[in-house]
Amino acid sequence: MSADGKLAEFMCQVSLMELTVERARELRQIHRFHHPDECIVHLEAAYLLLLAEDD
């Protein structure tokens, strides 16, 4: 699913596409209390932000 849709704000078990750094920060904030092992959105957002730090 596209990361800019509102569904990612409510669903934890979706794989995100076209995730920007800004949107990753938003989604990580929204899903911040979810355990990464149980929330794909949290995990994918954190991974993208980790990669962005290396640039």
Side-chain angles (χ1 to χ4, degrees):
M1 89 173 282
S2 178
D4 60 353
K6 294 292 182 186
L7 190 59
E9 294 181 6
F10 302 103
M11 300 286 293
C12 292
Q13 299 300 317
V14 293
S15 184
L16 302 173
M17 298 172 11
E18 302 176 19
L19 187 61
T20 64
V21 170
E22 181 180 343
R23 183 64 172 146
R25 287 186 183 122
E26 290 174 359
L27 290 173
R28 184 123 188 267
Q29 176 69 17
I30 292 166
H31 291 257
R32 70 187 176 276
F33 297 117
H34 301 181
H35 195 277
D37 291 341
E38 299 170 359
C39 179
I40 294 173
V41 171
H42 180 107
L43 189 61
E44 288 191 15
Y47 180 69
L48 181 122
L49 292 172
L50 181 65
L51 291 178
E53 287 179 3
D54 288 342
D55 289 343

